[in-house]
């Protein structure tokens, strides 16, 4: 009981989750081998560099590599434990695309020895951890894989969903509670021994399917709550009431805590994970589906509002502030801000649109087809614009003085400037 892992550990996927996890474990004195299919990522990690921005990660990676505890390779090595931290995007029909998880399981299979631990961290629909064991078992009939109600196994397979918030990953990876769901109780216990190395939060042991579902539920919960705020925004707009004031007041009730409306819900998790629940039980997940639809509609609504405002000008210049999926990160995956900009650019092909983001230095691929878009510094863009649309509340944008917005039409989709003045 309360065993702590010793040995060599391989992590498949050197992305937003795999790399911070590698650092957390390597800095506890364990040899960690990071595996990635992308040679550029492997080269960057081997140099002690991080191919994306996340506070405090760069210093962690360079330290772990300098200590010789973290190495990276494209070839899956032999190890005592394997963590799978690869993406689980969705297919066109919004079912989970498990091809990366399957590929990782099949890469691990030939390297396994009796007593090894395999942990799936990727967010996955219920039943995926069991599939990992099946995929491995199919390639390694010589190994006994864990089965419910059966004693003894050669390989311990478990799910430990990542739960860290981009922008706070290096803090939350240590402080968050961890849910560890095993295919058998012994699998959960073995997998927990890895997280005991660095987790200061509680480690909650359960079965694999409950762990899979708990993770999906966490993100669906947030999605439903953001949808509520977004719906309030629509309702307030039509009633000519300030939604931010309504939320501020309602949130003074001891049991009310409404989230913030915005231009939509982005990132690689919240717009994706609730669909894994919907696709598992389409007839039952009505609220979860509706929340997804409400949030997916937001960029369209925001773009329509901007187009309406533009009609009041003969030849307006529009500044769109923010391209990433949320504030203070450089991640543009599933970014509603990009969708809004694209919709405006399409609807107003003759209008000059200036886009700015301190974390983005080239026009994202999704927007490259629009000739009326230009990347610009925020100061110049605000200066030149007739209409200023705040899409992401990055810190530097929040600092823009309201006096500089005077005389312009301002559309603050995040409510970030309303504390300054009634803009
Ligand atoms: N958003 C709003 N209004 C809000 C809060 C967020 O519009 O009040 C928007 C954001 O701007 C962004 C999107 O929602 O576009 C998602 O941002 P987020 O900060 O809520 O979440 P993520 O995607 O960065 O991280 C989430 C987290 N899940 C929960 O908080 C339940 C994180 O803990 C998970 O580990 C992560 O998903 C994941 O990887 O699953």
């Amino acid at each position: 009981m309360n065993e702590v892992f010793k040995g060599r550990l391989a992590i498949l996927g050197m992305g937003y989750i795999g790399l911070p996890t590698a650092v957390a474990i390597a800095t506890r004195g364990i040899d960690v081998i990071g595996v990635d299919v992308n040679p550029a990522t492997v080269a960057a990690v081997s140099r002690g560099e991080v191919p994306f921005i996340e506070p405090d990660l760069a210093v962690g990676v360079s330290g772990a590599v300098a200590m010789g505890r973290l190495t990276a390779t494209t070839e899956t090595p032999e190890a005592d434990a394997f963590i799978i931290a690869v993406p689980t995007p969705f297919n066109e029909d919004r079912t989970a695309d498990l091809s990366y998880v399957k590929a990782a399981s099949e890469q691990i299979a030939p390297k396994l020895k009796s007593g090894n631990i395999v942990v799936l961290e990727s967010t996955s629909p219920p039943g995926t951890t069991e599939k990992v064991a099946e995929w491995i078992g199919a390639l390694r009939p010589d190994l006994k894989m864990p089965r419910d109600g059966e004693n003894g196994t050669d390989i311990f397979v478990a799910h430990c969903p990542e739960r860290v918030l981009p922008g706070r990953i290096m803090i939350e990876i240590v402080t968050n509670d961890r849910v560890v769901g095993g295919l058998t109780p012994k699998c959960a216990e073995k997998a927990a021994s890895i997280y005991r190395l660095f987790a200061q939060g509680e480690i909650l042991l359960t079965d694999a399917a409950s762990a899979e579902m708990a993770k999906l539920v966490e993100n669906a919960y947030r999605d439903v709550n953001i949808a509520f705020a977004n719906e309030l925004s629509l309702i307030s707009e039509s009633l000519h009431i300030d939604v931010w004031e309504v939320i501020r007041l309602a949130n003074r009730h001891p049991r009310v805590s409404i989230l913030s409306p915005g231009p939509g819900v982005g990132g690689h998790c919240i717009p994706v994970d609730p669909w894994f629940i919907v696709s598992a039980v389409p007839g039952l997940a009505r609220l979860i589906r509706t929340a997804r639809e409400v949030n997916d509609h937001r960029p369209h609504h925001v773009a329509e509002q901007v187009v309406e405002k533009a009609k009041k000008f003969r030849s307006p210049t529009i500044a769109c502030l923010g391209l990433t999926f949320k504030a203070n990160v450089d991640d543009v995956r599933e970014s509603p801000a990009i969708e809004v900009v694209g919709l405006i650019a399409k609807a107003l092909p003759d209008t000059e649109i200036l886009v700015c983001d301190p974390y983005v230095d080239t026009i994202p691929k999704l927007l490259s087809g629009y000739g009326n878009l230009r990347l610009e510094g925020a100061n110049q863009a605000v200066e030149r614009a007739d209409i200023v649309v705040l899409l992401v509340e990055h810190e530097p944008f929040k600092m823009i003085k309201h006096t500089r917005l005077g005389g312009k039409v301002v559309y603050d989709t995040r409510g970030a400037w309303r504390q300054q003045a009634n803009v």
Side-chain angles (χ1 to χ4, degrees), residues 82-105:
F82 298 83
I83 292 179
I84 301 175
V86 297
T88 42
F90 56 36
N91 297 307
E92 291 238 312
D93 64 356
R94 287 169 171 152
T95 55
D97 171 2
L98 297 179
S99 57
Y100 300 99
V101 177
K102 185 167 190 252
S105 308

Side-chain angles (χ1 to χ4, degrees), residues 118-137:
V118 177
V119 182
L120 174 67
E121 278 216 21
S122 314
T123 304
S124 304
T128 310
T129 312
E130 220 167 284
K131 282 193 181 141
V132 168
E134 280 168 23
W135 288 323
I136 292 172

Side-chain angles (χ1 to χ4, degrees), residues 281-361:
V281 281
L284 299 177
R286 286 158 47 202
L287 181 62
I288 295 173
R289 176 198 293 273
T290 304
R292 274 285 70 244
E293 287 164 356
V294 166
N295 288 335
D296 273 352
H297 182 68
R298 278 306 281 178
H300 296 268
H301 177 74
V302 168
E304 279 160 21
Q305 297 292 303
V306 176
V307 171
E308 266 318 295
K309 293 178 198 303
K311 283 184 184 154
K312 302 198 177 89
F313 296 83
R314 200 145 23 110
S315 172
T317 295
I318 303 175
C320 291
L321 273 52
L323 287 170
T324 59
F325 90 88
K326 69 173 190 177
N328 309 319
V329 299
D330 69 340
D331 193 343
V332 293
R333 287 177 292 175
E334 312 283 335
S335 169
I338 290 183
E339 193 175 352
V340 170
V341 172
L343 289 165
I344 301 170
K346 192 170 172 196
L348 302 171
D350 300 323
T351 299
E352 180 180 34
I353 300 167
L354 306 174
V355 288
C356 345
D357 194 302
Y359 293 92
V360 177
D361 50 20

Side-chain angles (χ1 to χ4, degrees), residues 217-288:
V217 164
E218 288 160 19
N219 280 353
Y221 170 86
R222 191 149 171 90
D223 198 42
V224 168
N225 280 280
I226 299 170
F228 181 74
N230 281 334
E231 186 163 295
L232 285 185
S233 168
L234 275 183
I235 293 168
S236 303
E237 227 167 80
S238 92
L239 296 175
H240 306 288
I241 296 169
D242 177 359
V243 69
W244 304 101
E245 183 64 359
V246 172
I247 292 174
R248 185 179 77 85
L249 298 172
N251 278 351
R252 297 300 289 268
H253 183 285
R255 281 172 297 284
V256 174
S257 181
I258 302 170
L259 293 176
S260 304
V265 171
H268 46 296
C269 305
I270 299 195
V272 177
D273 301 352
W275 288 118
F276 295 173
I277 301 178
V278 176
S279 66
V281 281
L284 299 177
R286 286 158 47 202
L287 181 62
I288 295 173

